[in-house]
Amino acid sequence: MSTNRITATIRAAAVAALIALPALGLAGAAVAHPGPHPPAADPIVGSEGGGCSENRVGVDGDTGEQLSCRRGPDGAGAWSGTNGRIVGVHEFGSPCDPALDERSQTPEGREIMCTPADHQWQYGA
């Protein structure tokens, strides 16, 4: 099997897994507030260090690891690791428990973090 075909197979499996986990209720098991969460936007396939233009959560097409599009001082975006697992889907500003929650994403696929002071999901991860 060619390297391109293997990479495409891994990429498809990683995207399918990221999409399926919230729908199965497996990705949000440690959520402090009850209720179903809508599925997030499809993750963007990228590669660590590669350029990106949207402030969204992504997945490394080669490794399946989660990525986040981060902006540098020059405004250019680059994919980087997420500094912790992104778990579940939550609305910006909704309540969270910092003892249980760390990072999540909005239904639009933007990375958010649980702020210890406010106990709310906020941008700025």
Side-chain angles (χ1 to χ4, degrees):
M1 190 178 284
S2 73
T3 303
N4 287 340
R5 192 166 181 182
I6 292 170
T7 300
T9 302
I10 291 171
R11 183 175 298 150
V15 170
L18 283 173
I19 293 169
L21 287 177
L24 295 173
L26 299 176
V31 176
H33 46 308
H37 301 291
D42 292 344
I44 298 171
V45 178
S47 61
E48 183 137 6
C52 58
S53 60
E54 295 185 51
N55 185 14
R56 294 255 323 262
V57 172
V59 61
D60 189 306
D62 295 323
T63 66
E65 294 295 317
Q66 292 176 327
L67 298 172
S68 183
C69 185
R70 304 217 191 272
R71 301 255 176 238
D74 62 356
W79 289 113
S80 69
T82 59
N83 300 321
R85 297 291 302 162
I86 296 172
V87 179
V89 178
H90 298 84
E91 293 289 337
F92 171 80
S94 65
C96 62
D97 182 350
L100 301 173
D101 300 321
E102 184 179 349
R103 295 182 184 279
S104 186
Q105 63 182 312
T106 66
E108 300 79 31
R110 291 190 63 190
E111 184 178 1
I112 51 179
M113 61 185 270
C114 184
T115 56
D118 306 350
H119 295 262
Q120 290 183 343
W121 292 108
Q122 300 289 326
Y123 299 118

